[in-house]
Amino acid sequence: MQYADITGWGKYTPPARLTNDDLATFIDTSDEWISSRTGIKERRISHINTAHMAALAGKQALARAGIDADDIDLIIVATCTPDNLVPNTASKVQQLLSTNNSACFDLSSACTGFIYALQNATAQIRMGMVKKALVIGAERMSWFVNWSVRDTAVLFGDGAGAVVLEATDIECGLLEAKLGCDSNAREILNIVNFGTDMDRYENPPGPLQIDFNGQDIFKRAVRSMGKATETVMANTNLAVSDVDLLVPHQANLRIIETLQHKLKLSDEQCMVNIQKYGNTSAATVPIALCEAVEQGKINPGNNIMSAAFGAGLTWGACYIKWGDRVTAVNDYTQQEQQCEQSAKELLSVAIKHCLQ
Ligand code: ACO
């Protein structure tokens, strides 16, 4: 029997920070409202595109795994903010990694995308079809934000996270997952004015915008992530005390806390970094996973649960038995970290257009 060990982890968090106070200079909001309703203090605004962020996270994960990009058989990029529709973002990542040995595809399941991708790559490794995979969640959410709509503008950020999976005989990696989708609620969270739904000629689409019903999503998020996590724990005979760390999707601190209490987990059992990055959609789980390893919160043999929900409304949870690797084989310094402009400077044209 083959398993898919996580042997490398990486992230790219753009250097430009947009604080709540920065937002309050051009939207009718406040640090007090955003912090108390969401837990977010700041988010990152990227000066590079989604594929570039994905490749930087991927390079770090590969270095830490100590393997060459040429050895990777499969690259999956979970994203809902691709550089282009055709060609896919994963092919650009392959190009940026200077290799051409892998199958490449994008996976679109919004914020649940990384868990869907991890399950998919693990299944391919466990079937023996693939030996090594690079699984990335990368998003440039700021590109889709309407900076005049305060309900959504304060929530999102940019970033990327990645893991390397390698085939092993040892029982570890993702061992169980429960994924699903409540398509009857697919209208409550969407990016409007985009796609072949639109009439390009008779009724041309208006401006891009993320639309949602926040309160409905909030309730459904807690319900679906809670149920999926409980199902996975029941299927694997895991008790609450067996869980070393829950790595949840970071959409709202109140959602995370409600889930944590529902599952009866302590603060130490729950990974939270939403205050620094906001909601980076498919990138929240791999960035949080990466930071958990960097901060020594994950040890060999640990039982890790992860759960997410997103547009669709997709949802899912998975159980990862962490392998032996918690220290990097090599490290990689991301030269492209530098950005001369502030977040507000990077967004100045977008803000001007949105506020017109
Ligand atoms: N600043 C100040 N006031 C605001 C802001 C803002 N940025 N946004 C909304 N308000 C106001 C509203 O206008 C409303 O005012 P009113 O009472 O005078 O009408 C008031 O604040 C309360 O608004 P609610 O929508 O009731 O606020 P709520 O407590 O529900 O929090 C939030 C809103 C944060 C969006 C929450 O519902 C939420 O997190 N929902 C789920 C998460 C989510 O949808 N994430 C994005 C989707 S992507 C994904 O991860 C799947």
Side-chain angles (χ1 to χ4, degrees):
M1 173 73 84
Q2 289 284 282
Y3 298 94
D5 191 10
I6 298 179
T7 57
W9 50 90
K11 69 173 197 268
Y12 177 75
T13 53
R17 295 158 195 253
L18 187 71
T19 65
N20 292 346
D21 288 336
D22 289 334
L23 277 166
T25 63
F26 61 91
I27 306 182
D28 180 16
T29 191
S30 64
D31 174 49
E32 199 282 323
W33 192 95
I34 304 169
S35 302
S36 62
R37 299 289 179 120
T38 72
I40 300 166
K41 298 300 284 183
E42 59 182 33
R43 68 287 294 138
R44 304 295 177 93
I45 303 298
S46 186
H47 60 299
I48 55 178
N49 58 20
T50 301
H52 215 124
M53 287 192 282
L56 288 168
K59 278 184 191 176
Q60 190 174 51
L62 286 166
R64 286 173 169 171
I67 65 170
D68 199 87
D70 285 341
D71 296 330
I72 291 288
D73 310 306
L74 170 68
I75 298 174
I76 309 179
V77 178
T79 186
C80 60
T81 53
D83 291 17
N84 312 101
L85 283 183
V86 178
N88 63 23
T89 303
S91 60
K92 181 71 181 173
V93 171
Q94 192 205 55
Q95 190 180 51
L96 289 166
L97 294 176
S98 307
T99 179
N100 63 358
N101 287 341
S102 48
C104 293
F105 71 91
D106 293 2
L107 190 152
S108 172
S109 286
C111 310
T112 324
F114 180 78
I115 293 182
Y116 268 61
L118 190 64
Q119 188 246 26
N120 188 301
T122 299
Q124 294 200 44
I125 288 176
R126 293 192 65 172
M127 284 292 290
M129 291 173 161
V130 160
K131 292 273 179 243
K132 292 181 171 61
L134 180 60
V135 182
I136 304 173
E139 303 280 16
R140 194 176 186 188
M141 298 302 289
S142 63
W143 199 88
F144 281 98
V145 167
N146 181 335
W147 296 102
S148 68
V149 181
R150 67 179 183 176
D151 309 51
T152 46
V154 302
L155 299 177
F156 297 100
D158 302 332
V163 293
V164 170
L165 304 184
E166 293 187 63
T168 176
D169 297 331
I170 300 162
E171 188 175 3
C172 64
L174 184 150
L175 298 182
E176 179 79 16
K178 176 73 182 163
L179 307 178
C181 178
D182 294 333
S183 56
N184 57 353
R186 69 189 295 278
E187 317 299 342
I188 69 170
L189 172 54
N190 57 12
I191 290 179
V192 294
N193 297 321
F194 188 76
T196 55
D197 242 6
M198 303 296 115
D199 183 338
R200 282 177 67 194
Y201 304 108
E202 299 291 332
N203 191 13
L208 286 172
Q209 180 172 311
I210 303 167
D211 256 12
F212 73 160
N213 177 336
Q215 292 190 355
D216 199 2
I217 296 168
F218 192 112
K219 288 182 220 141
R220 287 170 181 273
V222 173
R223 213 165 43 226
S224 61
M225 286 199 292
K227 203 163 166 223
T229 307
E230 282 165 354
T231 303
V232 171
M233 286 173 65
N235 289 350
T236 49
N237 291 320
L238 276 182
V240 170
S241 56
D242 295 327
V243 175
D244 294 296
L245 195 67
L246 171 72
V247 182
H249 172 45
Q250 314 275 316
N252 184 320
L253 182 60
R254 290 186 296 138
I255 294 179
I256 297 171
E257 287 173 348
T258 312
L259 177 70
Q260 180 191 333
H261 295 143
K262 190 177 161 68
L263 298 171
K264 300 188 173 55
L265 296 169
S266 67
D267 289 353
E268 290 67 40
Q269 286 171 296
C270 197
M271 181 68 195
V272 176
N273 64 2
I274 189 172
Q275 68 282 3
K276 296 190 288 183
Y277 307 123
N279 181 350
T280 57
S281 184
T284 70
V285 169
I287 291 174
L289 198 59
C290 178
E291 290 199 339
V293 185
E294 290 169 350
Q295 293 166 10
K297 291 183 174 163
I298 293 182
N299 293 301
N302 272 179
N303 296 317
I304 313 296
M305 296 296 305
S306 185
F309 69 96
L313 291 174
T314 55
W315 50 264
C318 66
Y319 163 51
I320 298 164
K321 179 96 184 156
W322 201 265
D324 281 341
R325 180 79 52 77
V326 288
T327 46
V329 175
N330 298 308
D331 219 338
Y332 169 75
T333 313
Q334 290 164 339
Q335 309 288 350
E336 295 86 343
Q337 275 278 0
Q338 288 88 354
C339 171
E340 300 298 318
Q341 292 171 287
S342 69
K344 271 181 77 177
E345 284 167 347
L346 288 170
L347 292 173
S348 59
V349 175
I351 293 170
K352 195 170 126 217
H353 277 271
C354 291
L355 296 184
Q356 263 170 11

